[in-house]
Amino acid sequence: MIIYNICVMRKCLHILPFTALIVFLLGFMTSCTSLFDDWLTKDQKEITDAAMQRLCNAIVSRDTNAVKAEFRYVDICDLDGFDESVEALFDYITGDAVRFKRISDGGEGAAFGVQQPNSRDFFGCRYDIITTTDEYKVTFDYYSYYSDVRNKCDPQKIGFTQFDIINKKNDRLNVDDGYYSGCPYKRVGINFDYVSCYLGDEFEYKKAFCERVEDFGPIIFNDVADIDAFRIRYSDAYTLGSRNDGMGFDDFATEYDDGFFETHSLYVAGAFAGDVGYCYVPQWGFYIGDFVTTEICIDEYKNDYDDYGEHLANGVIIIWELPVKVPSDIDARLERTILS
């Protein structure tokens, strides 16, 4: 009898921790479900569509306070000229029947858990605003949730942070209608008429391999005479000309004639890796005026351990076919951003 009671007690001792664990897990799951239902799993489209609808209503009624209420207060409270930019928005959007159309959802970021704060934000969202007379491209960043204390949302940290708008008539004509890059400086508040940047990887670029080349340029070519002048200037310093593999400078340069330069320019730059070997992959920032910003990798450099033609080069001349014609003196840069 004594032995039986001891066995029963042992069974109870095993059951109690298990029961407590189940209760804890159910409580934790309920808490998490409540947490997720409140803000983390709410559909992004529903959130940003509702915000755009409220903003369009405020624009129609020219309600300054209603527009300001849609912006993240902590970002705009000390922003110089924000009230004036709201009034400018009323004047910028002309016509009646102001409505919106979602183009793309953009990216999303979220922070949640026992560490505070909890937050959820959307960035690079693309919408059109349409009226009876005009159409506008819009891109924005938006915070849908923020709490410094668990489950206590801070309304001053909810709303638009950056709202960029341009009349479609003012954007670049040969940019995809569904694309708008907005302000390249990511300024908070309302930004007007920043034309779209081209994406460097969306138009063709070529690489001419050289046995000798150093970092130079970039140089803008606007006619065939510019190519001839470049060849004369650098023929002694670099190994220009053609190659057996068809990847020399002249192999590419002969492709461009006066017809090409009527509507396009070439961006030409030289990159050199020294003697560090084929495994070296430099990262470069590629800038042209206010309309192209991207990063590229260049990894074709001399490797003494293989004889593939494309690797027999101490450097490379990069040639981009620009989608538009630009001035020869435009601000153009090629900057190494990662050194190794």
Side-chain angles (χ1 to χ4, degrees):
M1 187 67 179
I2 296 173
I3 294 175
Y4 174 78
N5 285 337
I6 291 173
C7 289
V8 171
M9 288 175 65
R10 284 179 178 172
K11 287 181 180 179
C12 290
L13 289 174
H14 283 91
I15 291 171
L16 284 172
F18 179 74
T19 304
L21 178 63
I22 293 295
V23 171
F24 170 78
L25 289 176
L26 287 173
F28 178 76
M29 291 172 64
T30 302
S31 175
C32 285
T33 301
S34 175
L35 173 67
F36 275 57
D37 286 345
D38 283 345
W39 59 276
L40 196 55
T41 60
K42 192 173 182 180
D43 186 68
Q44 176 182 344
K45 300 180 182 68
E46 180 183 350
I47 295 171
T48 55
D49 281 2
M52 282 295 294
Q53 184 62 66
R54 293 191 301 269
L55 188 69
C56 287
N57 292 343
I59 290 171
V60 170
S61 61
R62 297 183 70 94
D63 188 335
T64 301
N65 289 330
V67 171
K68 292 173 67 175
E70 293 303 319
F71 280 79
R72 199 168 185 249
Y73 177 76
V74 295
D75 288 328
I76 65 167
C77 62
D78 296 323
L79 193 64
D80 290 337
F82 184 73
D83 286 359
E84 289 79 2
S85 70
V86 173
E87 295 297 325
L89 182 65
F90 296 150
D91 295 332
Y92 190 78
I93 298 177
T94 61
D96 299 317
V98 179
R99 58 198 185 279
F100 67 86
K101 175 183 178 183
R102 186 189 330 109
I103 305 300
S104 62
D105 296 333
E108 178 176 353
F112 61 94
V114 294
Q115 298 296 325
Q116 303 300 326
N118 291 332
S119 66
R120 188 183 184 194
D121 65 298
F122 312 118
F123 48 90
C125 303
R126 261 285 288 121
Y127 278 72
D128 281 356
I129 290 179
I130 305 163
T131 73
T132 53
T133 59
D134 286 288
E135 294 187 17
Y136 305 83
K137 293 181 179 181
V138 169
T139 183
F140 61 79
D141 298 345
Y142 187 88
Y143 266 88
S144 67
Y145 186 86
Y146 196 100
S147 68
D148 290 310
V149 179
R150 179 176 289 280
N151 297 329
K152 186 176 181 181
C153 183
D154 184 349
Q156 292 191 338
K157 297 180 180 178
I158 304 299
F160 295 102
T161 62
Q162 175 187 347
F163 187 90
D164 301 347
I165 184 169
I166 190 170
N167 191 312
K168 287 189 176 183
K169 297 174 183 176
N170 299 339
D171 202 9
R172 299 185 195 279
L173 297 178
N174 50 347
V175 168
D176 181 0
D177 193 52
Y179 168 71
Y180 180 46
S181 57
C183 174
Y185 311 108
K186 302 301 179 184
R187 294 193 178 104
V188 298
I190 303 174
N191 301 301
F192 298 93
D193 278 339
Y194 281 100
V195 294
S196 291
C197 294
Y198 291 111
L199 300 177
D201 56 0
E202 289 188 349
F203 51 92
E204 187 172 4
Y205 86 95
K206 303 170 182 178
K207 288 180 279 190
F209 300 117
C210 298
E211 294 178 14
R212 303 189 317 275
V213 74
E214 297 177 2
D215 295 349
F216 72 82
I219 303 170
I220 303 297
F221 292 174
N222 271 319
D223 54 46
V224 175
D226 289 340
I227 298 177
D228 295 336
F230 173 85
R231 188 184 288 108
I232 294 171
R233 178 181 177 184
Y234 289 104
S235 59
D236 292 336
Y238 309 137
T239 51
L240 303 178
S242 298
R243 287 164 47 111
N244 292 334
D245 59 7
M247 300 189 73
F249 177 77
D250 281 352
D251 296 308
F252 294 128
T254 54
E255 299 178 13
Y256 304 108
D257 55 18
D258 293 334
F260 172 86
F261 286 113
E262 287 181 3
T263 54
H264 297 73
S265 297
L266 290 180
Y267 171 106
V268 180
F272 174 64
D275 298 323
V276 292
Y278 175 67
C279 292
Y280 183 80
V281 183
Q283 188 86 19
W284 297 81
F286 164 37
Y287 306 92
I288 304 177
D290 65 347
F291 71 93
V292 173
T293 302
T294 190
E295 286 195 341
I296 60 170
C297 286
I298 306 168
D299 59 2
E300 289 83 0
Y301 294 116
K302 184 176 181 180
N303 184 347
D304 293 332
Y305 300 102
D306 68 43
D307 57 359
Y308 294 111
E310 68 178 33
H311 295 156
L312 293 179
N314 281 334
V316 60
I317 295 177
I318 312 160
I319 304 167
W320 276 275
E321 297 179 2
L322 302 188
V324 293
K325 197 170 182 68
V326 300
S328 296
D329 59 354
I330 195 171
D331 177 27
R333 291 173 286 137
L334 185 68
E335 297 179 357
R336 194 169 297 191
T337 57
I338 299 178
L339 298 180
S340 62

